[in-house]
Amino acid sequence: MSSTTDPTVTPRRADDPEPDLTGIRLSHRSMVRDCRRIADTVTALAEGRQRCTPSRARAISRYVELLCESIHHHHSTEDQVAWPVIEASAGSHVDLTELTEDHAALDPRLDQLRARAAAFRVSGGDAPTTAAMAAELSDLHTLISEHIAEEEREIFPVITAHVSVADWEAVEKTAQKGGRMSFDAPRHLAVMTDDERIRLGATVNPLLRALFALLAVRHRRLERAVFG
């Protein structure tokens, strides 16, 4: 259960519209995609199928650090903001203990990966460090994929049934304020479906759309350095 004081909420009534879960779906989608991509890339380096220059080692190290930061921010926001809202809205209809325990177990792995990424950068991608990081990233991808599948299967129906639109929008705004837009926004855009892009285009103002485009250009430079 959440350790945060229960917030004041207005639970959803049966005839109310359902909250839009697109934001959290995009976060989940981008995490799974990026964990797989970076794990595959570092595995290819470890197996000698790709080369790692010092500049590429620095880029990969930075990408791993940013990904760990993004994952930590996501599950911390769930623990501290989303879970209390869901618990206050759904009451006995939900038990978040197992998912919260998953988050707690994930933190030491993220810390280890950050340390490994720093060693990878310093060593220029030497063989032992690369092999260890490849294994840790592959393990992270498996854990994240399984955790997200369980979360969407068990918790998303509870959110749509019990959490009001206003309360869920407040959760989303808090998540956005604490995140790193320069890293997260381009990754979310990359995993959108055509329908999601159309809906986003209808709600985002031109200035924000231009900002997203600029962030995407910068992020592609980082991706080219990392993934080739």
Side-chain angles (χ1 to χ4, degrees):
M1 301 290 285
S2 169
S3 60
T4 306
T5 302
D6 285 345
T8 300
V9 300
T10 304
R12 178 180 178 270
R13 296 171 302 185
D15 56 345
D16 288 342
E18 294 181 355
D20 182 1
L21 303 187
T22 301
I24 191 171
R25 289 186 190 278
L26 293 175
S27 294
H28 285 177
R29 221 178 286 162
S30 64
M31 278 191 287
V32 172
R33 173 180 181 263
D34 267 12
C35 285
R36 176 185 54 76
R37 286 203 307 162
I38 195 66
D40 288 349
T41 296
V42 178
T43 298
L45 296 175
E47 294 176 351
R49 292 183 282 113
Q50 294 184 22
R51 292 179 61 253
C52 187
T53 63
S55 61
R56 190 179 188 191
R58 290 192 295 271
I60 289 172
S61 174
R62 181 58 176 158
Y63 205 92
V64 171
E65 290 168 348
L66 289 169
L67 182 59
C68 288
E69 176 189 287
S70 181
I71 293 170
H72 176 74
H73 167 68
H74 179 83
H75 76 235
S76 295
T77 301
E78 287 182 334
D79 288 339
Q80 298 167 16
V81 183
W83 285 182
V85 167
I86 295 169
E87 289 173 335
S89 301
S92 62
H93 294 282
V94 64
D95 182 359
L96 298 168
T97 303
E98 188 172 337
L99 293 174
T100 302
E101 289 173 351
D102 284 353
H103 291 169
L106 185 59
D107 274 335
R109 294 176 183 270
L110 296 176
D111 290 340
Q112 176 60 41
L113 259 174
R114 289 188 186 98
R116 188 77 67 190
F120 182 85
R121 179 173 58 247
V122 170
S123 72
D126 68 10
T129 306
T130 304
M133 191 161 74
E136 290 166 358
L137 286 167
S138 296
D139 185 45
L140 179 66
H141 174 246
T142 299
L143 290 173
I144 288 290
S145 300
E146 292 175 350
H147 173 78
I148 284 175
E150 179 183 4
E151 186 176 306
E152 293 191 355
R153 181 177 61 252
E154 301 294 335
I155 303 304
F156 280 18
V158 176
I159 298 172
T160 55
H162 297 283
V163 179
S164 69
V165 169
D167 288 333
W168 189 251
E169 286 178 348
V171 170
E172 292 277 11
K173 287 178 182 176
T174 302
Q176 292 163 7
K177 288 178 182 176
R180 187 186 291 267
M181 182 182 288
S182 60
F183 186 68
D184 291 335
R187 294 165 54 246
H188 292 183
L189 290 170
V191 298
M192 279 185 171
T193 65
D194 290 339
D195 286 344
E196 287 166 345
R197 287 193 181 89
I198 291 170
R199 280 190 277 125
L200 179 69
T203 58
V204 173
N205 68 61
L207 288 178
L208 191 55
R209 196 177 302 126
L211 174 61
F212 286 164
L214 176 61
L215 293 177
V217 170
R218 292 178 176 176
H219 188 72
R220 279 196 293 272
R221 287 201 291 266
L222 175 60
E223 287 193 316
R224 283 195 296 269
V226 172
F227 302 111

